[in-house]
Amino acid sequence: MGSHIITEQVRLKAVLDDRVSYQIPRFQREYSWEDDHLDDFWKDLVTNIEKKEPYFFGSIMLVNSSDSDIKYKIIDGQQRLSTSITFLCVIRDILIDYNQKDHADGINAFIRKDPDDPSDYDFKLEMSKNNQDFFLEKILTIESAKNKIKTMKSPPRRSKKLSNAYKFLYGKLIKMLEKKSDENKIKHLNDMAFSFLRYFIVIRNEIDTIDRAYRIFDTINNRGIRLNQSDLVKNYLLEEIDQTGGDIDGCHDKWLEMLKVLDDINVKESDFLRHHWLAQYGSADPEEIFEKISKDIKKFKTEGFIQEILESSKKYKMLKDPSKDDWNGNTKLVEILQVFKSLNAKAVYPVLLKGMDVFDHSKDFPDFVKSILIFFFRSKTVCSAHATAIETLMNKVCSKLRSNKEVSVSNIRSLLKSDSIYPSDAKFEFEFSSFDANSKNALYILSELNAELHKHKMTLGIVKGDISVEHIMPMTIKNSDWEPYLMKKNGLKKFLELDDYHKNFRWKLGNLTLLNKSENKGNASFQVKREKYYKDDEANITNGLIRWSEWHHETISERQREFSRLALKIWTL
């Protein structure tokens, strides 16, 4: 082939009339069109067949997969081509219902391969591994459409959307034919099939190599469901293994095992792949993962890389969903790892992942994790450092961990503390004094403040289910003693004014404390709570409330300023 890519505009008839066949790579994703995509397809079909004008249907990207010019792998366009052939199969099978075998055979000529083709497979399209058996047995085989519909009641899970496409298109066609005579039904079905083949236009792109095809595809966003970065990576890696004669089935099983691990912790594979790459190799934007891996994969053994990411996914699970068994019974470490999730600290996971390789799990690693937590809480949670700046610094930490085998936790703390996004004590104390907590982070913050008040002689484990966050000024004040009290105290006339006041202070840290769940008394007055529940509580953060006789914005602010001074002792590297 003289060019890297040959592009031509052709009728769909030419794509299916050629003496060629098409193969979707074995481990590409399954057929994915939902009802919305099928409905768009149907509307485009009906509208443009009536107009009898060319209609641009999209593009297909092909790679020659053999020494001949008659067999191509589909890199992009599989959804369009699969739907097109399924549509023709439905028309063909309805014609069988009307005893129109000759007409059905005429359409079947665009579904079957050239009879002189020496290969055993008889059809123009071969789908990926998870769909092929169903596609062959239930879609491609010529049979009564009514009978097929009856046998599609319980399709395999991975072929449900393919089964649905056949049934969806069958339903649309049958409804369209309802008011026509039998003779007109036959004519209309033939007109639809051959007008579809004639008027639907595709851009046919023939690429000379798989590698180049995937790179081009990564830059194209066609109509339909675009492959995400993890799909591209998986397809590319497995294609590489297939071409070199590697253990493709074994590698595919490892990929599926990795997905199972990630599903258990509700993590998208694209996010994990990016974090793995950041940890082990270098920075990568979300849309660059495929490009980075495909560019550098020649440096690795592809099968070894798949084993590597499988093992990495298991470590990732230990970080995202930690248990005492994972960490030799270290409950404190488990609690700290769980805090990252409550803080939505997504950016730190590449660093934690690499830290697992570098630091001893029982000695240095807990101190390392605590240092990362202090940095993130102080910089991002309280002082709202920009996410991009946080990620840039995390990349620097990963780079240091990768390049220096002798690196210490002290070195990492120094790196974090010296960065410009690490806030000064004055800034941190100021921001903390007005910080609003939320339902995810309040328990952690209050537990740490209480531990400091007890000089760490008493700790309330944040994972214990019997401790809850108590809003001193409660979450709901309407129709309670708090409503007239706060209206009078602040000189407010309308409930809307009180509502704004309440929203401004209910999640302030100064308005929060800890109680056993059984003692949380909702919207009782402050005086009732103070005497009945707070005074004798074992936690200093709660029994210290006895100092105040009233509760409003001034006391909330005063208490939070006291907390901010404590916070400097807790969250400082």
Side-chain angles (χ1 to χ4, degrees), residues 86-321:
T86 299
F87 173 65
L88 293 174
C89 286
V90 175
I91 291 181
R92 177 202 64 186
D93 296 342
I94 294 175
L95 287 168
I96 292 294
D97 282 332
Y98 290 122
N99 297 314
Q100 298 295 316
K101 187 176 185 306
D102 288 345
H103 289 299
D105 286 343
I107 293 174
N108 210 35
F110 295 96
I111 299 167
R112 296 180 69 90
K113 277 195 314 191
D114 188 298
D116 296 330
D117 191 308
S119 66
D120 293 333
Y121 187 66
D122 292 335
F123 298 96
K124 280 196 171 73
L125 177 62
E126 183 176 353
M127 295 197 77
S128 58
K129 181 180 179 182
N130 290 327
N131 284 151
Q132 176 57 16
D133 288 346
F134 183 86
F135 188 58
L136 179 59
E137 294 170 12
K138 300 296 185 182
I139 307 291
L140 293 176
T141 304
I142 188 167
E143 186 186 347
S144 158
K146 289 179 180 178
N147 290 342
K148 281 190 176 181
I149 294 294
K150 290 177 183 177
T151 64
M152 287 187 187
K153 289 183 178 178
S154 300
R157 181 173 65 87
R158 294 184 180 275
S159 292
K160 282 184 178 179
K161 291 180 181 177
L162 187 56
S163 169
N164 181 65
Y166 187 97
K167 289 186 280 190
F168 180 96
L169 295 169
Y170 173 81
K172 292 289 186 181
L173 283 165
I174 292 299
K175 187 172 182 179
M176 177 175 279
L177 297 173
E178 279 177 353
K179 296 182 180 180
K180 298 182 184 295
S181 66
D182 284 352
E183 183 179 343
N184 283 336
K185 287 177 181 178
I186 307 307
K187 183 179 184 305
H188 192 76
L189 288 168
N190 278 304
D191 285 349
M192 285 203 77
F194 289 101
S195 294
F196 172 54
L197 291 166
R198 179 180 180 184
Y199 293 116
F200 272 52
I201 305 297
V202 298
I203 301 298
R204 185 179 185 275
N205 302 290
E206 186 176 336
I207 320 295
D208 59 344
T209 66
I210 285 282
D211 181 78
R212 185 171 284 111
Y214 275 113
R215 290 178 187 280
I216 293 170
F217 177 54
D218 187 37
T219 66
I220 295 175
N221 189 7
N222 291 315
R223 181 177 179 178
I225 302 175
R226 187 171 188 240
L227 290 178
N228 60 32
Q229 291 286 300
S230 63
D231 286 323
L232 284 168
V233 169
K234 179 198 73 173
N235 294 346
Y236 181 78
L237 293 177
L238 293 175
E239 196 67 48
E240 283 280 318
I241 293 166
D242 199 20
Q243 288 190 355
T244 56
D247 181 12
I248 186 153
D249 289 315
C251 287
H252 185 242
D253 288 343
K254 288 177 181 178
W255 190 276
L256 293 178
E257 185 181 350
M258 178 195 73
L259 294 186
K260 174 66 170 62
V261 172
L262 298 177
D263 285 347
D264 287 345
I265 53 175
N266 197 29
V267 169
K268 294 179 181 177
E269 56 266 33
S270 353
D271 290 340
F272 162 70
L273 285 172
R274 179 167 179 256
H275 282 184
H276 173 79
W277 193 264
L278 288 168
Q280 303 299 340
Y281 301 107
S283 63
D285 290 335
E287 296 303 316
E288 289 183 338
I289 297 304
F290 167 74
E291 180 185 347
K292 295 279 188 181
I293 292 177
S294 61
K295 181 179 178 181
D296 292 340
I297 197 64
K298 304 297 183 186
K299 300 176 185 177
F300 314 110
K301 290 183 178 178
T302 310
E303 294 185 52
F305 182 71
I306 289 180
Q307 179 65 36
E308 176 187 311
I309 58 178
L310 170 59
E311 295 306 318
S312 182
S313 71
K314 295 174 182 177
K315 293 179 180 178
Y316 201 79
K317 182 179 181 181
M318 291 171 64
L319 296 169
K320 292 282 285 185
D321 186 26

Side-chain angles (χ1 to χ4, degrees), residues 437-486:
N438 59 46
S439 58
K440 292 184 177 180
N441 61 33
L443 189 57
Y444 162 65
I445 300 170
L446 296 170
S447 296
E448 290 297 302
L449 290 169
N450 184 64
E452 184 63 33
L453 286 168
H454 284 271
K455 307 298 182 185
H456 296 274
K457 293 179 180 178
M458 173 193 177
T459 57
L460 298 173
I462 63 168
V463 296
K464 291 180 179 177
D466 56 345
I467 302 297
S468 68
V469 173
E470 153 82 349
H471 289 74
I472 302 163
M473 178 197 298
M475 285 291 285
T476 302
I477 59 174
K478 192 171 179 62
N479 299 324
S480 74
D481 291 343
W482 286 89
E483 185 177 355
Y485 167 71
L486 291 173

Side-chain angles (χ1 to χ4, degrees), residues 496-510:
L496 284 177
E497 295 175 325
L498 177 61
D499 191 47
D500 286 340
Y501 172 90
H502 179 233
K503 286 176 180 176
N504 285 333
F505 288 96
R506 63 186 177 186
W507 275 107
K508 293 295 182 189
L509 279 169

Side-chain angles (χ1 to χ4, degrees), residues 38-52:
L38 293 167
D39 197 50
D40 287 342
F41 170 75
W42 178 258
K43 288 174 182 175
D44 291 342
L45 191 68
V46 172
T47 302
N48 290 283
I49 285 175
E50 288 177 356
K51 290 179 180 177
K52 296 191 180 302

Side-chain angles (χ1 to χ4, degrees), residues 485-493 498 501 552-554:
Y485 167 71
L486 291 173
M487 293 279 279
K488 181 178 179 181
K489 185 72 181 176
N490 295 286
L492 304 176
K493 304 296 184 184
L498 177 61
Y501 172 90
H552 45 76
H553 64 280
E554 292 177 357

